[in-house]
Amino acid sequence: MGTGKQISTAISNFLIKKATWKSIFILFGLIIVFNLFVFPLVYKTNQNIVPLDLQFSYSPEKAYTILSTYSDEGLKEYAIGELTVDIVYPMVYALFLSFFVFKLTKKSPLSWFPLLIFLLDCFENIGIVTMVYYFPQKMPNIVLLTSLFTSLKWILIGMSILLILVLLVTKLFKQKKKNLNDVA
């Protein structure tokens, strides 16, 4: 039980120290750089294919239909991207969302929620790399599990963005109410 408390304290201390507006803006800038420059460079062979990670969910049939559209070089590129760039990118956007929630709430446990996205994205990447490695052999159970990780990732991303929007609107209303009370 002590280890859980130590981890909780370490995460809280990390957020208190690192979740600054400067960090949030830097992470947002990195998200833009990844989307405009890094991904097109890394996935140059596969630019016309919507990868599994960008689907909300997929059946084994759909996954293997998508994978069959890749060339051998494209499959290799996809796997390498999943094991490199697509490990760093989820860390960047998960920290961005986590820091943003922390900055708006100052409540560590609520800001841990977006950090789960990073873990789900890593499990998703492992599943995709496994599918690509064994392709054309079909592994329907791996696909279903990987699709579950993909769906949960997108649900948590949506919930994190919704949480941030609700927190921003709440903060704006509180500020507006305070300003009206100050005037009165």
Side-chain angles (χ1 to χ4, degrees):
M1 202 65 149
T3 304
K5 184 148 179 73
Q6 289 170 335
I7 292 170
S8 172
T9 302
I11 292 171
S12 293
N13 289 340
F14 173 76
L15 289 169
I16 289 166
K17 212 179 287 184
K18 301 294 182 183
T20 64
W21 287 115
K22 179 181 177 183
S23 297
I24 292 167
F25 287 120
I26 290 169
L27 290 167
F28 184 70
L30 286 173
I31 290 169
I32 291 170
V33 167
F34 268 90
N35 283 290
L36 293 179
F37 303 107
V38 176
F39 286 130
L41 184 65
V42 171
Y43 296 112
K44 58 185 170 281
T45 305
N46 307 317
Q47 288 185 0
N48 297 326
I49 302 170
V50 178
L52 295 172
D53 351 33
L54 296 183
Q55 310 285 326
F56 180 75
S57 68
Y58 37 89
S59 65
E61 296 77 25
K62 183 176 181 180
Y64 286 109
T65 298
I66 291 169
L67 290 178
S68 69
T69 61
Y70 287 89
S71 64
D72 288 342
E73 181 184 337
L75 284 171
K76 183 179 176 184
E77 181 181 273
Y78 189 21
I80 290 170
E82 291 295 296
L83 292 171
T84 55
V85 173
D86 204 32
I87 296 293
V88 177
Y89 182 67
M91 195 180 315
V92 168
Y93 76 74
L95 285 173
F96 168 77
L97 294 169
S98 181
F99 286 6
F100 211 144
V101 170
F102 183 78
K103 236 7 210 173
L104 294 172
T105 64
K106 297 295 184 199
K107 294 180 182 158
S108 308
L110 196 55
S111 19
W112 300 352
F113 175 68
L115 297 176
L116 294 174
I117 299 166
F118 173 70
L119 292 175
L120 290 168
D121 209 315
C122 287
F123 291 140
E124 171 195 57
N125 292 349
I126 291 167
I128 290 171
V129 169
T130 302
M131 285 184 268
V132 168
Y133 181 79
Y134 286 101
F135 186 78
Q137 180 183 342
K138 295 187 174 166
M139 306 171 77
N141 291 333
I142 296 292
V143 175
L144 293 172
L145 187 59
T146 304
S147 179
L148 175 65
F149 293 137
T150 301
S151 297
L152 290 172
K153 171 191 81 173
W154 285 114
I155 289 167
L156 287 182
I157 288 171
M159 290 173 67
S160 296
I161 291 169
L162 183 63
L163 176 61
I164 288 169
L165 291 174
V166 166
L167 290 169
L168 283 170
V169 168
T170 303
K171 198 169 190 97
L172 287 172
F173 277 126
K174 283 182 181 178
Q175 185 63 39
K176 189 168 189 146
K177 185 178 178 181
K178 182 182 179 287
N179 289 345
L180 288 173
N181 288 338
D182 289 346
V183 171

